[in-house]
Amino acid sequence: MKIISSIDDLRDQLRGQLRTVFVPTMGNLHEGHLSLMRLARKHGDPIVASIFVNRLQFGPNEDFDKYPRTFQADVEKLEKEGVYVLFAPTEKDLYPEPQAFRVSPPEDLGTILEGEFRPGFFTGVTTVVLKLFSCVQPRVAVFGKKDYQQLMMIRNMAKQFALPTEIIAAETYRAEDGLALSSRNMYLSAEERAEAPALHAQLQAVAHAVRGGHLDVFELERNAVASLAARGWKPDYISIRRRADLQPPSAGDLAQNAPLVVLTAARLGVTRLIDNLEI
């Protein structure tokens, strides 16, 4: 596996490749990330992964400096998965001057759910992804469904900018007890880790109620938030939305069994976890 930090060197290495498949990450890799590499192998060759902790998507009170960085262990894992190139730029490589030009996500998607609780997050995400796409120029890119709103944002961005990159969605990789794998899980204490699967269980309960014909979405959301709070969580939201655009479902959507998704973000101790479940 070649480890490259320079954009020019990356382009030289990939010149002439027509089936490049790309998996961007922020490192601290776990089985969820590695499952993306395995899915990528089915959609193209060579596989390019990136590791870059993107300052632009962190808010002023978030954990940029504390974000876990495990570069050598990550390299060993990617080598075992047959990754051809690891693009690992420094901030100076990717942002040689202040990134004054940025992507502005549409308000109807960018200011709801995660966008409401993390202002500027999606501007940072879409800006770095567009820049990484420009560097790698992949035919296919793979993103996980755990970051459901992010996946939709990137799909819509690729479509509106007519990018020559197909976005492939990978199912959320879970531990045996249902907890979605995340780099932030390492912040959980042993007691919190034992409690953490309750987040997915709550989503399952909401989904079961909707499938069973419960049409009062707001009541389901209120009850789910109260249930988590009673267990010591601090929920930001539990919200049932249309899969098509992440807007609240209408009565007609519910009556016609439109495809829905329930999404959540909640703090357990100091750790903020997100998850979702399609209905």
Side-chain angles (χ1 to χ4, degrees), residues 15-278:
R15 186 166 286 116
Q17 298 285 0
L18 301 179
R19 299 181 63 247
T20 300
V21 57
F22 179 44
V23 185
T25 83
M26 292 207 302
N28 192 33
L29 304 183
H30 50 65
E31 271 301 310
H33 294 109
L34 302 183
S35 71
L36 302 184
M37 308 299 163
R38 294 163 197 152
L39 180 60
R41 192 179 300 118
K42 299 177 181 178
H43 290 276
D45 181 69
I47 301 172
V48 177
S50 67
I51 292 177
F52 181 71
V53 183
N54 177 42
R55 188 185 296 272
L56 297 186
Q57 70 194 64
F58 286 80
N61 298 315
E62 295 184 334
D63 56 355
F64 175 80
D65 291 324
K66 294 181 180 178
Y67 193 86
R69 292 160 171 84
T70 54
F71 187 75
Q72 193 52 49
D74 294 344
V75 166
E76 294 171 5
K77 291 173 182 176
L78 293 175
E79 285 179 330
K80 290 178 181 178
E81 294 300 330
V83 170
Y84 175 61
V85 168
L86 169 59
F87 181 43
T90 65
E91 285 193 283
K92 195 68 175 174
D93 290 315
L94 203 59
Y95 302 130
E97 57 187 71
Q99 188 67 35
F101 288 90
R102 301 195 184 193
V103 178
S104 295
E107 285 200 3
D108 62 347
L109 186 57
T111 61
I112 62 173
L113 303 169
E114 286 298 281
E116 177 184 350
F117 287 91
R118 302 183 69 187
F121 171 69
F122 286 119
T123 293
V125 167
T126 51
T127 298
V128 76
V129 169
L130 184 61
K131 194 158 192 178
L132 288 169
F133 281 1
S134 176
C135 297
V136 178
Q137 300 180 21
R139 187 186 69 82
V140 173
V142 179
F143 292 84
K145 281 188 179 181
K146 183 179 78 70
D147 298 287
Y148 203 90
Q149 189 175 3
Q150 173 180 285
L151 170 64
M152 178 172 287
M153 191 79 68
I154 291 167
R155 272 184 164 158
N156 291 357
M157 179 185 74
K159 179 181 178 182
Q160 289 200 10
F161 280 117
L163 302 180
T165 302
E166 179 185 2
I167 308 301
I168 299 292
E171 295 297 328
T172 301
Y173 197 98
R174 300 183 182 278
E176 289 186 5
D177 58 12
L179 178 63
L181 295 198
S182 168
S183 296
R184 288 186 169 91
N185 291 353
M186 67 177 293
Y187 297 146
L188 297 169
S189 68
E191 183 178 284
E192 289 166 346
R193 176 61 187 85
E195 167 62 21
L199 192 64
H200 180 56
Q202 194 63 63
L203 294 182
Q204 289 178 309
V206 171
H208 180 73
V210 173
R211 293 185 188 114
H214 195 305
L215 300 184
D216 190 336
V217 166
F218 298 113
E219 181 185 39
L220 287 174
E221 292 172 347
R222 284 195 306 270
N223 290 345
V225 166
S227 178
L228 276 182
R231 299 178 67 100
W233 294 72
K234 296 179 180 177
D236 284 343
Y237 60 84
I238 296 179
S239 191
I240 299 165
R241 300 294 176 109
R242 295 190 301 236
R243 287 190 218 171
D245 55 11
L246 293 189
Q247 297 304 306
S250 67
D253 293 326
L254 295 168
Q256 296 168 25
N257 295 319
L260 304 175
V261 59
V262 55
L263 308 101
T264 185
R267 291 188 184 277
L268 185 57
V270 299
T271 308
R272 186 174 186 272
L273 301 178
I274 67 170
D275 202 352
N276 64 81
L277 191 63
E278 292 181 330

